Amino acid sequence: MLNPIVYAVPVFLLLMLLEFAWSRRRGETVYRAADTVSSLSLGIISQLVAVFTQLLMLGIYGWLWQHAALLPEWSLGSPWAWAGALLIYDFLYYWKHRLGHEVAVLWAAHVVHHSSEEYNLSTALRQTGSDFLLGWVFYLPMALLGVPPLMFVVVGLIDLLYQFWVHTRLVGRLGWFDRVFVSPSNHRVHHGQNDYCLDRNYGGILILWDRLFGSFVEERDGEPIVYGVRGQLKSWNPWTANLRSYADLWRDARLADNWADRLTIWWRSPNWRPAAALRALPKPRPDLSRFQRYAPALAPGMAAYGLLQLGPLLLLGVYFLAVQPRLAPPLALGAALALLLQLVLLSRLLEGNSRLGEGLRLLALGAWAGAQLWRGQALLGAGPWLWVLCLAAALAGLLWLARPSSAAGQTGRALP
Ligand SMILES: [Zn+2]
Ligand SMILES: [Zn+2]
């Protein structure tokens, strides 16, 4: 079966374009090119990781369902079974998400979704690459209740896809809807770093869970939401976004002066730090009134360049998801790593770093696409258009980077 995300991507892109056009009409800026490149890169990487980890997670779920289910199998033909499974999934999602904010090692995975300082539909695709470590454990009760793996996968997908549309600033309050379902208004609060927003509105589809368990708060008029996390990421690099919080935890564990702190830091609140780490490396509370979004200075046109170069990489990612079941594991792993490396190099260019890495990336991409065309694309069976596009992007990119005016503009202006 074709990965359903392959079908969803064109819809995501279309809705993002519509959101962008609508925001321009209203005279608002809700997208920044480099932030969008970063969010979409993280989405692609999260899907690449899932290709290699999901089967194992599903295997464990399936084994448990087969050998330890307490109830008889749920009928795939019953709408009530589907509705019940979705309700249970949404309930478990609430707790997974809530603990994702309240337990340090789970926050280290989930923080990726919150590290954008913008709030738009691309933020929805900004997903973690390390959910496979612990995230799947939360849904095992469904296997014990007898929910078949297929039903589990489908309701999980429905819950995930539902959350896409709520990541927008353009839809205002929706009255009763905001108090029953997760909505743009109440999920904006979830992404805020204002005091009143912290650790609120965890729901996936139903916000009723938050009202039931005391974590609901309504969006406040007259108090603009500052999006992002306390302790800014200050990077476009998807590798950094995925690993920074684990590295911080590891550093604090090493700074701790006793084993109790070293061992418990992982399971405590993300705000807790060992006394010795606080002394060695104090972190003052950030002043939100002086908050500045991350925006490294870039040469004119560079942010748009990043967005245009992301296009072929996004297509390669979708193509990979489509053909991956037919690839030998070493080839699949090599292709995924090559894509990951390209996304990292592109992000480094957008941080104002050396163009050498980007130049080498373009050379490698162009050479590979050229080789595919030369061999008649026998290797992976795509139409030649994909390789023509990659080759054209590589050549255009090399010409653009090498143009005489580009070095002069290196010290240029901040992003718009
Ligand atoms: Zn969250
Ligand atoms: Zn979100």
Side-chain angles (χ1 to χ4, degrees):
M1 195 182 82
L2 198 56
N3 189 327
I5 300 294
V6 172
Y7 298 112
V9 168
V11 181
F12 291 157
L13 291 177
L14 190 70
L15 289 173
M16 278 188 272
L17 276 173
L18 280 175
E19 188 193 28
F20 175 72
W22 187 11
S23 68
R24 290 291 288 256
R25 258 183 86 105
R26 290 178 24 160
E28 293 172 40
T29 306
V30 298
Y31 278 94
R32 284 189 298 155
D35 172 81
T36 307
V37 171
S38 175
S39 288
L40 297 185
S41 299
L42 283 159
I44 296 169
I45 290 168
S46 148
Q47 286 299 316
L48 293 181
V49 174
V51 159
F52 297 98
T53 54
Q54 227 160 30
L55 270 185
L56 178 66
M57 307 307 137
L58 259 182
I60 296 171
Y61 182 98
W63 187 90
L64 207 63
W65 171 70
Q66 235 167 14
H67 295 95
L70 303 169
L71 297 177
E73 184 175 339
W74 297 34
S75 160
L76 290 174
S78 157
W80 292 107
W82 285 95
L86 185 58
L87 191 70
I88 296 172
Y89 186 98
D90 202 50
F91 169 76
L92 295 173
Y93 175 86
Y94 170 86
W95 284 105
K96 175 200 178 219
H97 191 187
R98 181 164 175 167
L99 291 174
H101 281 253
E102 293 178 346
V103 174
V105 70
L106 300 176
W107 174 241
H110 181 58
V111 67
V112 173
H113 180 62
H114 287 271
S115 56
S116 170
E117 290 159 0
E118 300 299 331
Y119 189 74
N120 54 48
L121 292 176
S122 78
T123 315
L125 305 181
R126 190 181 182 94
Q127 295 285 333
T128 178
S130 60
D131 198 48
F132 69 94
L133 290 176
L134 294 161
W136 54 281
V137 176
F138 289 87
Y139 299 112
L140 293 183
M142 291 182 75
L144 293 178
L145 287 173
V147 177
L150 177 66
M151 193 179 269
F152 164 66
V153 169
V154 172
V155 296
L157 201 64
I158 292 172
D159 212 281
L160 184 71
L161 292 178
Y162 173 81
Q163 295 174 46
F164 178 72
W165 80 281
V166 304
H167 292 83
T168 181
R169 274 178 266 186
L170 301 187
V171 177
R173 305 256 192 125
L174 298 173
W176 65 269
F177 191 91
D178 292 332
R179 291 186 293 278
V180 178
F181 293 100
V182 174
S183 68
S185 171
N186 60 41
H187 199 65
R188 279 194 287 272
V189 169
H190 180 66
H191 278 258
Q193 47 174 315
N194 310 43
D195 282 330
Y196 91 91
C197 297
L198 292 180
D199 300 336
R200 297 284 164 184
N201 300 359
Y202 296 111
I205 293 180
L206 290 175
I207 203 73
L208 287 174
W209 305 122
D210 287 278
R211 295 180 58 199
L212 195 59
F213 299 115
S215 51
F216 177 71
V217 72
E218 267 189 71
E219 191 177 22
R220 291 183 187 168
D221 296 322
E223 193 175 333
I225 294 178
V226 179
Y227 297 101
V229 282
R230 302 266 170 104
Q232 287 177 274
L233 178 63
K234 290 189 178 165
S235 169
W236 300 130
N237 189 330
W239 183 259
T240 310
N242 268 304
L243 297 181
R244 167 74 61 77
S245 289
Y246 290 109
D248 285 353
L249 279 174
W250 179 251
R251 183 206 57 217
D252 276 0
R254 283 174 60 116
L255 285 173
D257 53 9
N258 64 78
W259 276 99
D261 284 358
R262 254 172 231 142
L263 293 175
T264 58
I265 183 173
W266 307 91
W267 304 104
R268 287 176 181 254
S269 156
N271 300 322
W272 182 85
R273 297 182 66 206
L278 275 170
R279 281 195 301 276
L281 204 71
K283 282 189 186 167
R285 204 181 133 87
D287 176 0
L288 277 195
S289 67
R290 282 192 265 158
F291 180 79
Q292 294 243 329
R293 287 175 306 176
Y294 175 65
L298 279 182
M302 192 61 95
Y305 167 89
L307 204 53
L308 286 174
Q309 285 293 337
L310 183 73
L313 298 184
L314 182 67
L315 280 175
L316 281 175
V318 173
Y319 174 62
F320 174 78
L321 293 184
V323 299
Q324 161 276 325
R326 288 187 277 129
L327 298 184
L331 180 62
L333 191 62
L337 287 174
L339 201 48
L340 169 70
L341 182 63
Q342 292 201 66
L343 293 169
V344 168
L345 289 171
L346 187 61
S347 74
R348 287 186 51 74
L349 184 78
L350 294 180
E351 291 177 350
N353 287 313
S354 150
R355 293 156 183 234
L356 182 64
E358 175 64 2
L360 292 173
R361 178 185 81 79
L362 293 171
L363 280 175
L365 177 67
W368 187 66
Q372 292 296 313
L373 278 172
W374 182 259
R375 294 165 52 150
Q377 334 88 45
L379 180 62
L380 298 178
W385 59 269
L386 182 59
W387 314 124
V388 171
L389 184 79
C390 288
L391 191 59
L395 291 175
L398 283 168
L399 284 174
W400 193 78
L401 283 183
R403 78 198 195 286
S405 63
S406 83
Q410 180 74 357
T411 51
R413 307 188 302 261
L415 284 169

